[in-house]
Amino acid sequence: MNGIAFLASFLRTGRLHGLGIGSTLDEAGRAVRHRFVDVVDEGGESLRRDHGFVEFSFNPGDEWVMSGASIELHRLASGHDMAREWARIMEVDFPRHVAWEAVREELERVPGAPELTVSAQGGFLEYRAEASHVSVLVVDDEEEERGCHTGHGDVWSVSLWAPVRAR
């Protein structure tokens, strides 16, 4: 699958390789067959499963459950071998640089695409899809040029967050 189409689907559904908020660590292990490192914080209150440029966060309970996920696309600019390995194992092909405009154009073609709100975040623009709980950080510094790092208008990261429950 094309990485741009994959990101547009993630923005619409809030699902990453079939995983979403509340998915278990076992489900993540079955869905994502890529090598990883698990990092548990000192108090045992959170676990981060790091697959290189894709990370999942889990909270404890009866079992570890997903509380968030992120695709750190900025890491691909200087380490595109990560993307090639991901494409081989997970069958999603990400380019070295991901232009926000390409993702936005693809999202416009996706049925049921969520409404996006935008806000400035100190050198970035954040596009939030409240319906799917996914946000996109885009480089908003005109002096940033593509190369071994992301440039102006490129996606820095795409993140899934758990909704805040009313008390």
mmCIF file of all heavy atoms in Angstrom, residues 2-11 14-17 19 49-57 68-76 82-83 86 92-95 98 103 134-138 150 155-161:
data_model
loop_
_atom_site.group_PDB
_atom_site.id
_atom_site.type_symbol
_atom_site.label_atom_id
_atom_site.label_comp_id
_atom_site.label_asym_id
_atom_site.label_seq_id
_atom_site.Cartn_x
_atom_site.Cartn_y
_atom_site.Cartn_z
ATOM 1 N N ASN A 2 0.446 2.262 -0.652
ATOM 2 C CA ASN A 2 1.103 3.562 -0.683
ATOM 3 C C ASN A 2 0.995 4.219 0.698
ATOM 4 O O ASN A 2 -0.068 4.242 1.310
ATOM 5 C CB ASN A 2 0.408 4.388 -1.768
ATOM 6 C CG ASN A 2 0.832 5.806 -1.794
ATOM 7 O OD1 ASN A 2 0.694 6.537 -0.812
ATOM 8 N ND2 ASN A 2 1.333 6.226 -2.930
ATOM 9 N N GLY A 3 2.117 4.774 1.206
ATOM 10 C CA GLY A 3 2.136 5.406 2.522
ATOM 11 C C GLY A 3 1.202 6.596 2.646
ATOM 12 O O GLY A 3 0.629 6.834 3.715
ATOM 13 N N ILE A 4 1.025 7.346 1.572
ATOM 14 C CA ILE A 4 0.130 8.516 1.602
ATOM 15 C C ILE A 4 -1.318 8.052 1.805
ATOM 16 O O ILE A 4 -2.041 8.601 2.637
ATOM 17 C CB ILE A 4 0.262 9.346 0.303
ATOM 18 C CG1 ILE A 4 1.721 9.771 0.063
ATOM 19 C CG2 ILE A 4 -0.685 10.535 0.318
ATOM 20 C CD1 ILE A 4 2.326 10.652 1.108
ATOM 21 N N ALA A 5 -1.741 7.026 1.066
ATOM 22 C CA ALA A 5 -3.088 6.476 1.230
ATOM 23 C C ALA A 5 -3.259 5.883 2.628
ATOM 24 O O ALA A 5 -4.321 6.007 3.250
ATOM 25 C CB ALA A 5 -3.368 5.418 0.159
ATOM 26 N N PHE A 6 -2.212 5.253 3.148
ATOM 27 C CA PHE A 6 -2.240 4.682 4.493
ATOM 28 C C PHE A 6 -2.481 5.774 5.535
ATOM 29 O O PHE A 6 -3.305 5.618 6.443
ATOM 30 C CB PHE A 6 -0.917 3.953 4.762
ATOM 31 C CG PHE A 6 -0.837 3.315 6.107
ATOM 32 C CD1 PHE A 6 -1.404 2.071 6.332
ATOM 33 C CD2 PHE A 6 -0.178 3.944 7.147
ATOM 34 C CE1 PHE A 6 -1.321 1.472 7.581
ATOM 35 C CE2 PHE A 6 -0.094 3.367 8.390
ATOM 36 C CZ PHE A 6 -0.663 2.118 8.618
ATOM 37 N N LEU A 7 -1.774 6.900 5.401
ATOM 38 C CA LEU A 7 -1.940 8.014 6.344
ATOM 39 C C LEU A 7 -3.340 8.606 6.263
ATOM 40 O O LEU A 7 -3.939 8.937 7.294
ATOM 41 C CB LEU A 7 -0.886 9.088 6.086
ATOM 42 C CG LEU A 7 0.554 8.684 6.396
ATOM 43 C CD1 LEU A 7 1.515 9.754 5.905
ATOM 44 C CD2 LEU A 7 0.735 8.400 7.876
ATOM 45 N N ALA A 8 -3.879 8.747 5.055
ATOM 46 C CA ALA A 8 -5.239 9.274 4.898
ATOM 47 C C ALA A 8 -6.241 8.343 5.572
ATOM 48 O O ALA A 8 -7.173 8.800 6.249
ATOM 49 C CB ALA A 8 -5.577 9.452 3.422
ATOM 50 N N SER A 9 -6.050 7.038 5.429
ATOM 51 C CA SER A 9 -6.937 6.070 6.089
ATOM 52 C C SER A 9 -6.810 6.171 7.610
ATOM 53 O O SER A 9 -7.809 6.128 8.332
ATOM 54 C CB SER A 9 -6.591 4.655 5.622
ATOM 55 O OG SER A 9 -7.338 3.705 6.342
ATOM 56 N N PHE A 10 -5.590 6.324 8.107
ATOM 57 C CA PHE A 10 -5.350 6.481 9.543
ATOM 58 C C PHE A 10 -6.060 7.723 10.070
ATOM 59 O O PHE A 10 -6.712 7.686 11.118
ATOM 60 C CB PHE A 10 -3.837 6.541 9.800
ATOM 61 C CG PHE A 10 -3.422 6.654 11.231
ATOM 62 C CD1 PHE A 10 -4.107 6.035 12.256
ATOM 63 C CD2 PHE A 10 -2.285 7.376 11.560
ATOM 64 C CE1 PHE A 10 -3.681 6.132 13.581
ATOM 65 C CE2 PHE A 10 -1.851 7.487 12.869
ATOM 66 C CZ PHE A 10 -2.552 6.863 13.886
ATOM 67 N N LEU A 11 -5.984 8.822 9.327
ATOM 68 C CA LEU A 11 -6.671 10.056 9.729
ATOM 69 C C LEU A 11 -8.188 9.865 9.782
ATOM 70 O O LEU A 11 -8.857 10.423 10.644
ATOM 71 C CB LEU A 11 -6.340 11.189 8.756
ATOM 72 C CG LEU A 11 -5.125 12.012 9.119
ATOM 73 C CD1 LEU A 11 -4.593 12.745 7.913
ATOM 74 C CD2 LEU A 11 -5.478 12.979 10.220
ATOM 75 N N GLY A 14 -8.626 6.374 12.634
ATOM 76 C CA GLY A 14 -7.965 6.265 13.928
ATOM 77 C C GLY A 14 -7.432 4.862 14.169
ATOM 78 O O GLY A 14 -7.161 4.483 15.308
ATOM 79 N N ARG A 15 -7.250 4.095 13.106
ATOM 80 C CA ARG A 15 -6.745 2.715 13.195
ATOM 81 C C ARG A 15 -5.428 2.627 12.435
ATOM 82 O O ARG A 15 -5.318 3.112 11.317
ATOM 83 C CB ARG A 15 -7.733 1.708 12.614
ATOM 84 C CG ARG A 15 -9.151 1.827 13.106
ATOM 85 C CD ARG A 15 -9.484 1.280 14.440
ATOM 86 N NE ARG A 15 -9.225 -0.127 14.634
ATOM 87 C CZ ARG A 15 -9.266 -0.680 15.844
ATOM 88 N NH1 ARG A 15 -9.522 0.063 16.900
ATOM 89 N NH2 ARG A 15 -9.022 -1.957 15.993
ATOM 90 N N LEU A 16 -4.459 1.986 13.048
ATOM 91 C CA LEU A 16 -3.124 1.846 12.488
ATOM 92 C C LEU A 16 -2.810 0.356 12.420
ATOM 93 O O LEU A 16 -2.653 -0.291 13.455
ATOM 94 C CB LEU A 16 -2.130 2.568 13.395
ATOM 95 C CG LEU A 16 -0.685 2.683 12.984
ATOM 96 C CD1 LEU A 16 -0.552 3.454 11.676
ATOM 97 C CD2 LEU A 16 0.109 3.389 14.066
ATOM 98 N N HIS A 17 -2.828 -0.183 11.214
ATOM 99 C CA HIS A 17 -2.660 -1.631 11.011
ATOM 100 C C HIS A 17 -3.722 -2.405 11.793
ATOM 101 O O HIS A 17 -3.450 -3.453 12.366
ATOM 102 C CB HIS A 17 -1.245 -2.089 11.390
ATOM 103 C CG HIS A 17 -0.194 -1.580 10.474
ATOM 104 N ND1 HIS A 17 -0.078 -1.998 9.162
ATOM 105 C CD2 HIS A 17 0.785 -0.660 10.666
ATOM 106 C CE1 HIS A 17 0.933 -1.374 8.596
ATOM 107 N NE2 HIS A 17 1.454 -0.547 9.469
ATOM 108 N N LEU A 19 -5.118 -1.501 14.555
ATOM 109 C CA LEU A 19 -5.029 -1.224 15.990
ATOM 110 C C LEU A 19 -5.553 0.168 16.296
ATOM 111 O O LEU A 19 -5.361 1.092 15.524
ATOM 112 C CB LEU A 19 -3.582 -1.326 16.458
ATOM 113 C CG LEU A 19 -2.892 -2.659 16.190
ATOM 114 C CD1 LEU A 19 -1.401 -2.540 16.455
ATOM 115 C CD2 LEU A 19 -3.519 -3.762 17.032
ATOM 116 N N ARG A 49 6.183 0.719 22.849
ATOM 117 C CA ARG A 49 6.717 -0.265 21.897
ATOM 118 C C ARG A 49 7.219 0.514 20.695
ATOM 119 O O ARG A 49 6.448 1.093 19.941
ATOM 120 C CB ARG A 49 5.654 -1.277 21.501
ATOM 121 C CG ARG A 49 6.177 -2.274 20.470
ATOM 122 C CD ARG A 49 5.363 -3.528 20.398
ATOM 123 N NE ARG A 49 5.667 -4.362 21.559
ATOM 124 C CZ ARG A 49 5.122 -5.564 21.754
ATOM 125 N NH1 ARG A 49 4.245 -6.052 20.891
ATOM 126 N NH2 ARG A 49 5.439 -6.272 22.810
ATOM 127 N N ASP A 50 8.535 0.527 20.527
ATOM 128 C CA ASP A 50 9.202 1.333 19.508
ATOM 129 C C ASP A 50 9.635 0.445 18.355
ATOM 130 O O ASP A 50 10.482 -0.429 18.517
ATOM 131 C CB ASP A 50 10.401 2.025 20.148
ATOM 132 C CG ASP A 50 11.092 3.009 19.240
ATOM 133 O OD1 ASP A 50 10.853 2.985 18.018
ATOM 134 O OD2 ASP A 50 11.886 3.817 19.764
ATOM 135 N N HIS A 51 9.046 0.700 17.182
ATOM 136 C CA HIS A 51 9.368 -0.031 15.962
ATOM 137 C C HIS A 51 10.272 0.792 15.043
ATOM 138 O O HIS A 51 10.338 0.529 13.848
ATOM 139 C CB HIS A 51 8.083 -0.378 15.191
ATOM 140 C CG HIS A 51 7.206 -1.368 15.881
ATOM 141 N ND1 HIS A 51 7.383 -2.719 15.763
ATOM 142 C CD2 HIS A 51 6.136 -1.192 16.687
ATOM 143 C CE1 HIS A 51 6.462 -3.358 16.464
ATOM 144 N NE2 HIS A 51 5.695 -2.451 17.035
ATOM 145 N N GLY A 52 10.925 1.804 15.545
ATOM 146 C CA GLY A 52 11.774 2.670 14.719
ATOM 147 C C GLY A 52 11.109 4.001 14.476
ATOM 148 O O GLY A 52 11.238 4.909 15.272
ATOM 149 N N PHE A 53 10.328 4.098 13.420
ATOM 150 C CA PHE A 53 9.612 5.353 13.181
ATOM 151 C C PHE A 53 8.129 5.229 13.511
ATOM 152 O O PHE A 53 7.384 6.198 13.404
ATOM 153 C CB PHE A 53 9.835 5.872 11.750
ATOM 154 C CG PHE A 53 9.112 5.109 10.670
ATOM 155 C CD1 PHE A 53 7.936 5.588 10.134
ATOM 156 C CD2 PHE A 53 9.608 3.914 10.187
ATOM 157 C CE1 PHE A 53 7.273 4.896 9.138
ATOM 158 C CE2 PHE A 53 8.966 3.215 9.186
ATOM 159 C CZ PHE A 53 7.787 3.703 8.667
ATOM 160 N N VAL A 54 7.707 4.060 13.955
ATOM 161 C CA VAL A 54 6.331 3.838 14.411
ATOM 162 C C VAL A 54 6.391 3.396 15.866
ATOM 163 O O VAL A 54 7.165 2.494 16.211
ATOM 164 C CB VAL A 54 5.617 2.768 13.558
ATOM 165 C CG1 VAL A 54 4.219 2.485 14.091
ATOM 166 C CG2 VAL A 54 5.559 3.191 12.097
ATOM 167 N N GLU A 55 5.614 4.064 16.714
ATOM 168 C CA GLU A 55 5.609 3.756 18.142
ATOM 169 C C GLU A 55 4.182 3.616 18.651
ATOM 170 O O GLU A 55 3.289 4.334 18.203
ATOM 171 C CB GLU A 55 6.304 4.860 18.939
ATOM 172 C CG GLU A 55 7.753 5.044 18.600
ATOM 173 C CD GLU A 55 8.411 6.145 19.397
ATOM 174 O OE1 GLU A 55 7.730 6.820 20.207
ATOM 175 O OE2 GLU A 55 9.623 6.350 19.215
ATOM 176 N N PHE A 56 4.005 2.704 19.597
ATOM 177 C CA PHE A 56 2.724 2.508 20.260
ATOM 178 C C PHE A 56 2.923 2.707 21.759
ATOM 179 O O PHE A 56 3.933 2.284 22.308
ATOM 180 C CB PHE A 56 2.186 1.090 20.016
ATOM 181 C CG PHE A 56 1.911 0.787 18.572
ATOM 182 C CD1 PHE A 56 2.863 0.182 17.774
ATOM 183 C CD2 PHE A 56 0.681 1.115 18.009
ATOM 184 C CE1 PHE A 56 2.612 -0.093 16.438
ATOM 185 C CE2 PHE A 56 0.424 0.846 16.678
ATOM 186 C CZ PHE A 56 1.391 0.237 15.892
ATOM 187 N N SER A 57 1.948 3.324 22.425
ATOM 188 C CA SER A 57 1.979 3.524 23.871
ATOM 189 C C SER A 57 0.872 2.696 24.499
ATOM 190 O O SER A 57 -0.237 2.621 23.966
ATOM 191 C CB SER A 57 1.767 4.998 24.213
ATOM 192 O OG SER A 57 2.773 5.782 23.622
ATOM 193 N N GLY A 68 -2.123 5.246 22.776
ATOM 194 C CA GLY A 68 -1.699 6.177 21.743
ATOM 195 C C GLY A 68 -0.740 5.509 20.771
ATOM 196 O O GLY A 68 -0.258 4.401 21.016
ATOM 197 N N ALA A 69 -0.491 6.198 19.666
ATOM 198 C CA ALA A 69 0.437 5.705 18.660
ATOM 199 C C ALA A 69 0.953 6.894 17.867
ATOM 200 O O ALA A 69 0.278 7.930 17.793
ATOM 201 C CB ALA A 69 -0.256 4.716 17.718
ATOM 202 N N SER A 70 2.129 6.740 17.296
ATOM 203 C CA SER A 70 2.637 7.813 16.443
ATOM 204 C C SER A 70 3.513 7.242 15.332
ATOM 205 O O SER A 70 4.144 6.201 15.496
ATOM 206 C CB SER A 70 3.430 8.846 17.252
ATOM 207 O OG SER A 70 4.576 8.257 17.822
ATOM 208 N N ILE A 71 3.468 7.954 14.217
ATOM 209 C CA ILE A 71 4.335 7.657 13.084
ATOM 210 C C ILE A 71 5.262 8.860 12.966
ATOM 211 O O ILE A 71 4.825 9.955 12.608
ATOM 212 C CB ILE A 71 3.530 7.457 11.787
ATOM 213 C CG1 ILE A 71 2.459 6.388 11.974
ATOM 214 C CG2 ILE A 71 4.470 7.092 10.632
ATOM 215 C CD1 ILE A 71 1.515 6.259 10.787
ATOM 216 N N GLU A 72 6.524 8.674 13.315
ATOM 217 C CA GLU A 72 7.513 9.750 13.340
ATOM 218 C C GLU A 72 8.169 9.855 11.959
ATOM 219 O O GLU A 72 9.308 9.425 11.762
ATOM 220 C CB GLU A 72 8.545 9.472 14.435
ATOM 221 C CG GLU A 72 7.954 9.320 15.829
ATOM 222 C CD GLU A 72 7.324 10.591 16.355
ATOM 223 O OE1 GLU A 72 7.769 11.692 15.970
ATOM 224 O OE2 GLU A 72 6.386 10.489 17.154
ATOM 225 N N LEU A 73 7.445 10.437 11.018
ATOM 226 C CA LEU A 73 7.896 10.485 9.627
ATOM 227 C C LEU A 73 9.186 11.267 9.434
ATOM 228 O O LEU A 73 9.940 10.992 8.504
ATOM 229 C CB LEU A 73 6.780 11.040 8.745
ATOM 230 C CG LEU A 73 5.573 10.098 8.644
ATOM 231 C CD1 LEU A 73 4.354 10.842 8.156
ATOM 232 C CD2 LEU A 73 5.895 8.918 7.760
ATOM 233 N N HIS A 74 9.475 12.208 10.320
ATOM 234 C CA HIS A 74 10.712 12.992 10.208
ATOM 235 C C HIS A 74 11.944 12.091 10.279
ATOM 236 O O HIS A 74 12.992 12.426 9.736
ATOM 237 C CB HIS A 74 10.770 14.079 11.281
ATOM 238 C CG HIS A 74 10.765 13.550 12.680
ATOM 239 N ND1 HIS A 74 11.923 13.292 13.367
ATOM 240 C CD2 HIS A 74 9.750 13.208 13.493
ATOM 241 C CE1 HIS A 74 11.620 12.828 14.567
ATOM 242 N NE2 HIS A 74 10.305 12.763 14.670
ATOM 243 N N ARG A 75 11.840 10.930 10.906
ATOM 244 C CA ARG A 75 12.973 10.010 11.022
ATOM 245 C C ARG A 75 13.359 9.391 9.677
ATOM 246 O O ARG A 75 14.477 8.913 9.518
ATOM 247 C CB ARG A 75 12.656 8.908 12.017
ATOM 248 C CG ARG A 75 12.529 9.406 13.434
ATOM 249 C CD ARG A 75 12.277 8.273 14.379
ATOM 250 N NE ARG A 75 12.102 8.768 15.736
ATOM 251 C CZ ARG A 75 11.678 8.030 16.740
ATOM 252 N NH1 ARG A 75 11.409 6.747 16.537
ATOM 253 N NH2 ARG A 75 11.530 8.554 17.935
ATOM 254 N N LEU A 76 12.435 9.400 8.721
ATOM 255 C CA LEU A 76 12.709 8.778 7.424
ATOM 256 C C LEU A 76 13.626 9.622 6.541
ATOM 257 O O LEU A 76 14.278 9.094 5.651
ATOM 258 C CB LEU A 76 11.403 8.494 6.687
ATOM 259 C CG LEU A 76 10.457 7.530 7.397
ATOM 260 C CD1 LEU A 76 9.211 7.313 6.556
ATOM 261 C CD2 LEU A 76 11.149 6.230 7.729
ATOM 262 N N MET A 82 14.694 2.494 7.179
ATOM 263 C CA MET A 82 13.571 2.103 8.042
ATOM 264 C C MET A 82 12.302 1.935 7.212
ATOM 265 O O MET A 82 11.539 0.995 7.411
ATOM 266 C CB MET A 82 13.325 3.144 9.139
ATOM 267 C CG MET A 82 14.342 3.144 10.240
ATOM 268 S SD MET A 82 13.878 4.261 11.592
ATOM 269 C CE MET A 82 14.472 5.814 10.969
ATOM 270 N N ALA A 83 12.073 2.852 6.280
ATOM 271 C CA ALA A 83 10.881 2.791 5.436
ATOM 272 C C ALA A 83 10.934 1.580 4.508
ATOM 273 O O ALA A 83 9.910 0.920 4.292
ATOM 274 C CB ALA A 83 10.723 4.071 4.620
ATOM 275 N N TRP A 86 10.074 -1.418 6.582
ATOM 276 C CA TRP A 86 8.642 -1.397 6.898
ATOM 277 C C TRP A 86 7.831 -1.844 5.679
ATOM 278 O O TRP A 86 6.893 -2.624 5.808
ATOM 279 C CB TRP A 86 8.227 -0.001 7.352
ATOM 280 C CG TRP A 86 6.895 0.030 8.036
ATOM 281 C CD1 TRP A 86 5.692 0.336 7.472
ATOM 282 C CD2 TRP A 86 6.636 -0.272 9.403
ATOM 283 N NE1 TRP A 86 4.702 0.253 8.408
ATOM 284 C CE2 TRP A 86 5.251 -0.118 9.601
ATOM 285 C CE3 TRP A 86 7.432 -0.644 10.479
ATOM 286 C CZ2 TRP A 86 4.647 -0.331 10.842
ATOM 287 C CZ3 TRP A 86 6.833 -0.852 11.708
ATOM 288 C CH2 TRP A 86 5.456 -0.699 11.884
ATOM 289 N N VAL A 92 3.589 -1.417 3.544
ATOM 290 C CA VAL A 92 3.207 -0.011 3.396
ATOM 291 C C VAL A 92 4.481 0.740 3.025
ATOM 292 O O VAL A 92 5.461 0.716 3.762
ATOM 293 C CB VAL A 92 2.593 0.575 4.683
ATOM 294 C CG1 VAL A 92 2.254 2.048 4.484
ATOM 295 C CG2 VAL A 92 1.361 -0.211 5.099
ATOM 296 N N ASP A 93 4.447 1.407 1.866
ATOM 297 C CA ASP A 93 5.622 2.052 1.309
ATOM 298 C C ASP A 93 5.567 3.558 1.532
ATOM 299 O O ASP A 93 4.791 4.266 0.884
ATOM 300 C CB ASP A 93 5.695 1.726 -0.191
ATOM 301 C CG ASP A 93 6.981 2.177 -0.833
ATOM 302 O OD1 ASP A 93 7.960 2.434 -0.105
ATOM 303 O OD2 ASP A 93 7.013 2.275 -2.068
ATOM 304 N N PHE A 94 6.394 4.058 2.473
ATOM 305 C CA PHE A 94 6.461 5.484 2.767
ATOM 306 C C PHE A 94 7.600 6.128 1.981
ATOM 307 O O PHE A 94 8.686 5.561 1.894
ATOM 308 C CB PHE A 94 6.716 5.726 4.262
ATOM 309 C CG PHE A 94 5.547 5.435 5.136
ATOM 310 C CD1 PHE A 94 5.445 4.224 5.804
ATOM 311 C CD2 PHE A 94 4.540 6.367 5.294
ATOM 312 C CE1 PHE A 94 4.376 3.952 6.623
ATOM 313 C CE2 PHE A 94 3.456 6.106 6.113
ATOM 314 C CZ PHE A 94 3.372 4.890 6.781
ATOM 315 N N PRO A 95 7.369 7.338 1.444
ATOM 316 C CA PRO A 95 8.469 8.060 0.803
ATOM 317 C C PRO A 95 9.407 8.641 1.861
ATOM 318 O O PRO A 95 9.064 8.707 3.050
ATOM 319 C CB PRO A 95 7.748 9.168 0.029
ATOM 320 C CG PRO A 95 6.481 9.392 0.770
ATOM 321 C CD PRO A 95 6.106 8.060 1.362
ATOM 322 N N VAL A 98 7.326 13.227 3.294
ATOM 323 C CA VAL A 98 5.881 13.171 3.086
ATOM 324 C C VAL A 98 5.336 14.590 3.091
ATOM 325 O O VAL A 98 5.309 15.252 4.138
ATOM 326 C CB VAL A 98 5.189 12.328 4.180
ATOM 327 C CG1 VAL A 98 3.677 12.360 4.004
ATOM 328 C CG2 VAL A 98 5.715 10.893 4.169
ATOM 329 N N VAL A 103 -0.886 14.308 1.365
ATOM 330 C CA VAL A 103 -1.784 13.621 2.307
ATOM 331 C C VAL A 103 -3.166 14.259 2.267
ATOM 332 O O VAL A 103 -4.187 13.576 2.213
ATOM 333 C CB VAL A 103 -1.218 13.642 3.743
ATOM 334 C CG1 VAL A 103 -2.205 13.020 4.738
ATOM 335 C CG2 VAL A 103 0.130 12.931 3.805
ATOM 336 N N VAL A 134 -6.847 11.788 15.735
ATOM 337 C CA VAL A 134 -5.543 11.756 15.075
ATOM 338 C C VAL A 134 -5.123 13.188 14.773
ATOM 339 O O VAL A 134 -5.941 14.013 14.359
ATOM 340 C CB VAL A 134 -5.602 10.927 13.761
ATOM 341 C CG1 VAL A 134 -4.269 10.979 13.031
ATOM 342 C CG2 VAL A 134 -5.988 9.477 14.061
ATOM 343 N N SER A 135 -3.850 13.480 15.003
ATOM 344 C CA SER A 135 -3.325 14.802 14.670
ATOM 345 C C SER A 135 -2.073 14.661 13.815
ATOM 346 O O SER A 135 -1.349 13.665 13.904
ATOM 347 C CB SER A 135 -3.021 15.621 15.930
ATOM 348 O OG SER A 135 -1.992 15.019 16.671
ATOM 349 N N VAL A 136 -1.830 15.678 12.999
ATOM 350 C CA VAL A 136 -0.687 15.711 12.096
ATOM 351 C C VAL A 136 0.101 16.974 12.388
ATOM 352 O O VAL A 136 -0.468 18.066 12.409
ATOM 353 C CB VAL A 136 -1.155 15.731 10.616
ATOM 354 C CG1 VAL A 136 0.039 15.765 9.673
ATOM 355 C CG2 VAL A 136 -2.067 14.561 10.318
ATOM 356 N N LEU A 137 1.405 16.837 12.622
ATOM 357 C CA LEU A 137 2.282 17.991 12.767
ATOM 358 C C LEU A 137 3.015 18.204 11.454
ATOM 359 O O LEU A 137 3.626 17.272 10.909
ATOM 360 C CB LEU A 137 3.315 17.764 13.876
ATOM 361 C CG LEU A 137 2.881 18.061 15.291
ATOM 362 C CD1 LEU A 137 4.042 17.813 16.264
ATOM 363 C CD2 LEU A 137 2.356 19.463 15.454
ATOM 364 N N VAL A 138 2.926 19.441 10.943
ATOM 365 C CA VAL A 138 3.525 19.796 9.659
ATOM 366 C C VAL A 138 4.530 20.919 9.889
ATOM 367 O O VAL A 138 4.235 21.892 10.590
ATOM 368 C CB VAL A 138 2.427 20.254 8.662
ATOM 369 C CG1 VAL A 138 3.032 20.701 7.346
ATOM 370 C CG2 VAL A 138 1.409 19.137 8.448
ATOM 371 N N THR A 150 13.229 16.858 7.415
ATOM 372 C CA THR A 150 12.003 17.304 6.746
ATOM 373 C C THR A 150 12.073 18.794 6.473
ATOM 374 O O THR A 150 12.748 19.538 7.186
ATOM 375 C CB THR A 150 10.755 17.001 7.602
ATOM 376 O OG1 THR A 150 10.943 17.589 8.889
ATOM 377 C CG2 THR A 150 10.528 15.521 7.748
ATOM 378 N N VAL A 155 5.243 16.557 6.530
ATOM 379 C CA VAL A 155 4.677 16.000 7.760
ATOM 380 C C VAL A 155 5.828 15.579 8.675
ATOM 381 O O VAL A 155 6.728 14.845 8.263
ATOM 382 C CB VAL A 155 3.764 14.794 7.456
ATOM 383 C CG1 VAL A 155 3.263 14.170 8.750
ATOM 384 C CG2 VAL A 155 2.599 15.210 6.568
ATOM 385 N N TRP A 156 5.783 16.052 9.903
ATOM 386 C CA TRP A 156 6.758 15.692 10.924
ATOM 387 C C TRP A 156 6.328 14.378 11.591
ATOM 388 O O TRP A 156 7.117 13.447 11.716
ATOM 389 C CB TRP A 156 6.858 16.810 11.951
ATOM 390 C CG TRP A 156 7.845 16.574 13.043
ATOM 391 C CD1 TRP A 156 7.600 16.054 14.281
ATOM 392 C CD2 TRP A 156 9.246 16.864 13.005
ATOM 393 N NE1 TRP A 156 8.752 15.990 15.010
ATOM 394 C CE2 TRP A 156 9.779 16.495 14.250
ATOM 395 C CE3 TRP A 156 10.089 17.402 12.037
ATOM 396 C CZ2 TRP A 156 11.131 16.636 14.557
ATOM 397 C CZ3 TRP A 156 11.428 17.547 12.343
ATOM 398 C CH2 TRP A 156 11.936 17.166 13.592
ATOM 399 N N SER A 157 5.051 14.329 12.000
ATOM 400 C CA SER A 157 4.536 13.127 12.652
ATOM 401 C C SER A 157 3.022 13.089 12.550
ATOM 402 O O SER A 157 2.370 14.104 12.312
ATOM 403 C CB SER A 157 4.964 13.069 14.124
ATOM 404 O OG SER A 157 4.375 14.142 14.844
ATOM 405 N N VAL A 158 2.476 11.892 12.741
ATOM 406 C CA VAL A 158 1.030 11.681 12.793
ATOM 407 C C VAL A 158 0.772 10.880 14.071
ATOM 408 O O VAL A 158 1.407 9.841 14.284
ATOM 409 C CB VAL A 158 0.509 10.908 11.562
ATOM 410 C CG1 VAL A 158 -1.000 10.764 11.620
ATOM 411 C CG2 VAL A 158 0.939 11.594 10.271
ATOM 412 N N SER A 159 -0.126 11.379 14.921
ATOM 413 C CA SER A 159 -0.325 10.762 16.232
ATOM 414 C C SER A 159 -1.786 10.477 16.534
ATOM 415 O O SER A 159 -2.673 11.245 16.164
ATOM 416 C CB SER A 159 0.220 11.679 17.328
ATOM 417 O OG SER A 159 1.585 11.935 17.130
ATOM 418 N N LEU A 160 -1.992 9.376 17.228
ATOM 419 C CA LEU A 160 -3.304 8.967 17.727
ATOM 420 C C LEU A 160 -3.291 9.157 19.234
ATOM 421 O O LEU A 160 -2.319 8.784 19.899
ATOM 422 C CB LEU A 160 -3.542 7.488 17.392
ATOM 423 C CG LEU A 160 -4.768 6.798 17.998
ATOM 424 C CD1 LEU A 160 -6.045 7.390 17.410
ATOM 425 C CD2 LEU A 160 -4.698 5.297 17.747
ATOM 426 N N TRP A 161 -4.343 9.758 19.773
ATOM 427 C CA TRP A 161 -4.409 9.968 21.223
ATOM 428 C C TRP A 161 -5.731 9.423 21.734
ATOM 429 O O TRP A 161 -6.730 9.352 21.024
ATOM 430 C CB TRP A 161 -4.237 11.453 21.565
ATOM 431 C CG TRP A 161 -5.430 12.294 21.222
ATOM 432 C CD1 TRP A 161 -6.495 12.557 22.034
ATOM 433 C CD2 TRP A 161 -5.719 12.958 19.986
ATOM 434 N NE1 TRP A 161 -7.403 13.355 21.387
ATOM 435 C CE2 TRP A 161 -6.957 13.618 20.128
ATOM 436 C CE3 TRP A 161 -5.035 13.061 18.773
ATOM 437 C CZ2 TRP A 161 -7.525 14.350 19.100
ATOM 438 C CZ3 TRP A 161 -5.613 13.794 17.758
ATOM 439 C CH2 TRP A 161 -6.832 14.435 17.936
#
